[in-house]
Amino acid sequence: MHSYPDREKLTRLFAEEVAEFVAKHPASEALHQKASGPLMAGVPMSWMAKWPGPHPIFVQSAKGSRFIDVDGIEYVDFCLGDTGAMVGHSPEESVKAITEQLNKGITFMLPTEDAAIAAKTLADRFGVEKWQFTLTATDANRHILRYARHVTGRSKVIVHDYCYHGTVDETFAVLDENGNTISRENNIGAQVDPSVTTIVVPFNDLAAAEKALATGEVAAMLIEPAMTNIGIVLPESGYLEGLRELCTKYDVILIHDETHTLSEGPGGMTARRKLHPDAVVLGKTIGAGIPAGAFGMTEALSARVQKSLHLEHIDVGGVGGTLAGNALSMAAIRATLTKVLTPEAFIAMEELCTIWTRDVQKLIDRYQAGWQVSQLGCRAEYSFRSTAPRNGREAADADDFELQQYLHLHALNRGILMTPFHNMALMSPAHTEADVKRHTEHFEQALNSLFG
Ligand SMILES: Cc1ncc(COP(=O)(O)O)c(C=O)c1O
């Protein structure tokens, strides 16, 4: 059952937007045609094909909250590379440090001073003491899961139903209607049946978590403290604290993947909500978009890991990477954390997001669309249901691909980029109230077209 029942009208409205899009983007279309020779689907990475409209727009340049496409159209960017550019495009302080490092050597497989400063900054912010760096959040998740299995001697991982933690094999699992862990739809070329590696539990369900933890087979529980990849699903009071207690009781390593939930502040939800995971994972924006990921461990977990490592075999153990922790990434992370993602910047980003959230919810109510908006610091998202979802399944059931495509294309045609996989808007330090207003104006027009 779709939350927007008039599908004929939706199809007609979408067709009108497609016609406008085509008329406005001859240069992007020509580039896409050219790219479709050597590139699969005309894009360098398959996800870049998942935009509304017949082809993606090609970017000319970007700065701060805005970018310009090859047809000369300027956009307010609320997608921000799906968090990779949450700091805004090319922030000055990051670019300065990155440029300096480019002229001093890019990668050595030797440490630079920046690494220690970046790690100390993260340790102070998140309260976990020992850090390692990777090129992506996916790799950070993979590595900490390996360490967790290594030190516990157990094989399984618990994740939430409809989670997303990057291209990590163990996480492409969901619950079926009988509560069994099964492969997520479209799990491409899975190496094993995920029920061998994984136990899936619903978000906000401590009883289900305890049942899974008590099996004695579990090395780690990998969570986002709030789900952000199936819309936003916020934790109910006591849920995260309850998971901490249970993981301690069953000696299971609790990992907070804060790649997106960093939106709540410099120390993510972990610091803001005074939580105590055994490990924290970060990525995407910490290097302003220069490839960078990180995982931190408590002193106690790090000591367990280190005791079990053999220097002679350390390069063939499945944890690491030739370019991981390279000098360029480390310079980018140091500058971005200390000069761009400052506590003051987070305050301003969240204030702006609160305005976005308030105005979008007001319009939803005025047009009686029956939707709702959830906010997580500087990230907000509307869902096509009237109450906030309690878990991933509820959020997934509210999905409406055609409606989302229409809203996104409507936004794009009015100079606004939303995140392609959700109805999510992210505020960078460079965003302004004028940027928010542009979105509110488009949203009102779109609601009027649907419900007016
Ligand atoms: C919560 C979370 N963790 C990890 C990742 C993986 O990030 P990357 O694709 O940059 O490795 C993502 C990507 O969307 C994510 O949302």
Side-chain angles (χ1 to χ4, degrees):
M1 188 33 200
H2 288 120
S3 75
Y4 184 72
D6 192 344
R7 307 312 280 188
E8 254 177 49
K9 185 175 181 188
L10 184 59
T11 305
R12 180 169 44 76
L13 288 171
F14 185 65
E16 284 167 20
E17 294 300 326
V18 170
E20 184 173 336
F21 176 88
V22 169
K24 276 180 165 168
H25 295 283
S28 273
E29 198 205 344
L31 274 184
H32 186 247
Q33 288 256 342
K34 189 170 150 197
S36 294
L39 290 169
M40 191 169 87
V43 287
M45 208 277 295
S46 58
W47 296 3
M48 291 187 200
K50 196 182 170 180
W51 293 94
H55 56 78
I57 51 173
F58 281 61
V59 176
Q60 183 81 267
S61 65
K63 187 74 190 164
S65 65
R66 297 182 178 222
F67 72 96
I68 298 175
D69 74 9
V70 290
D71 287 287
I73 303 170
E74 191 198 57
Y75 300 83
V76 176
D77 190 355
F78 290 108
C79 165
L80 294 172
D82 194 10
T83 310
M86 189 179 92
V87 290
H89 295 291
S90 300
E92 234 161 77
E93 294 287 0
S94 303
V95 170
K96 185 163 166 272
I98 291 161
T99 313
E100 278 170 19
Q101 190 62 48
L102 279 172
N103 288 308
K104 291 196 296 187
I106 294 167
T107 192
F108 314 111
M109 208 179 281
L110 283 170
T112 52
E113 188 189 5
D114 290 331
I117 294 166
K120 179 77 172 73
T121 307
L122 291 174
D124 290 346
R125 290 183 178 185
F126 286 88
V128 292
E129 294 92 351
K130 297 284 188 190
W131 288 81
Q132 293 281 273
F133 291 91
T134 60
L135 290 182
T136 65
T138 296
D139 273 349
N141 276 324
R142 283 190 186 133
H143 294 352
I144 192 64
L145 286 179
R146 270 187 174 260
Y147 278 152
R149 284 194 293 263
H150 186 59
V151 298
T152 60
R154 301 190 205 127
S155 64
K156 284 198 172 168
V157 177
I158 300 176
V159 296
H160 283 125
D161 198 19
Y162 285 94
C163 69
Y164 186 77
H165 295 281
T167 51
V168 179
D169 289 306
E170 296 90 331
T171 62
F172 288 97
V174 288
L175 287 173
D176 71 10
E177 58 276 10
N178 301 315
N180 299 313
T181 296
I182 58 164
S183 190
R184 191 164 180 166
E185 200 180 17
N186 245 333
N187 183 1
I188 300 166
Q191 44 180 240
V192 289
D193 175 348
S195 68
V196 175
T197 59
T198 308
I199 305 176
V200 176
V201 298
F203 198 75
N204 278 324
D205 188 340
L206 280 176
E210 175 146 30
K211 192 166 162 224
L213 288 161
T215 57
E217 299 176 343
V218 178
M221 182 158 186
L222 172 62
I223 67 164
E224 280 193 287
M227 298 186 79
T228 66
N229 285 297
I230 188 77
I232 292 175
V233 184
L234 297 170
E236 289 172 354
S237 168
Y239 179 61
L240 299 171
E241 294 78 2
L243 286 185
R244 172 66 278 172
E245 275 176 30
L246 289 173
C247 285
T248 303
K249 180 172 167 191
Y250 293 101
D251 190 25
V252 166
I253 291 165
L254 177 61
I255 306 163
H256 281 186
D257 179 351
E258 293 257 28
T259 305
H260 280 179
T261 51
L262 179 67
S263 60
E264 265 219 348
M269 292 178 73
T270 298
R272 183 143 171 191
R273 300 183 185 220
K274 301 187 174 49
L275 302 169
H276 300 284
D278 300 297
V280 170
V281 164
L282 292 167
K284 295 201 180 185
T285 204
I286 58 169
I290 293 290
F295 58 103
M297 292 169 271
T298 58
E299 195 90 58
L301 177 55
S302 161
R304 278 172 90 182
V305 169
Q306 264 207 297
K307 215 166 72 188
S308 67
L309 294 183
H310 303 286
L311 193 59
E312 193 185 342
H313 304 299
I314 210 153
D315 52 333
V316 288
V319 172
T322 318
L323 297 175
N326 71 77
L328 185 67
S329 295
M330 297 316 312
I333 298 174
R334 174 186 173 174
T336 304
L337 289 178
T338 58
K339 297 186 173 151
V340 186
L341 283 176
T342 58
E344 303 73 46
F346 274 100
I347 291 170
M349 289 148 75
E350 181 164 333
E351 277 174 8
L352 212 53
C353 195
T354 303
I355 297 173
W356 190 95
T357 303
R358 181 198 66 197
D359 291 352
V360 169
Q361 188 67 62
K362 256 193 213 166
L363 287 168
I364 287 171
D365 295 343
R366 187 185 312 154
Y367 283 90
Q368 299 181 336
W371 307 341
Q372 63 80 230
V373 193
S374 294
Q375 185 183 355
L376 189 70
C378 68
R379 166 186 297 265
E381 174 146 5
Y382 54 87
S383 73
F384 303 128
R385 45 176 285 136
S386 57
T387 55
R390 280 195 69 233
N391 55 46
R393 160 66 64 181
E394 283 188 6
D397 285 347
D399 201 14
D400 184 336
F401 185 67
E402 289 87 21
L403 186 56
Q404 189 189 77
Q405 291 267 304
Y406 169 62
L407 287 161
H408 287 209
L409 193 58
H410 187 282
L412 206 62
N413 281 339
R414 285 147 190 85
I416 295 155
L417 189 76
M418 297 291 285
T419 312
F421 317 130
H422 341 225
N423 304 311
M424 188 272 282
L426 200 58
M427 307 294 147
S428 77
H431 277 71
T432 63
E433 278 201 59
D435 294 335
V436 170
K437 191 157 173 265
R438 189 189 292 190
H439 175 270
T440 311
E441 282 166 7
H442 127 72
F443 196 64
E444 167 144 38
Q445 282 178 33
L447 287 182
N448 193 41
S449 71
L450 290 165
F451 299 101

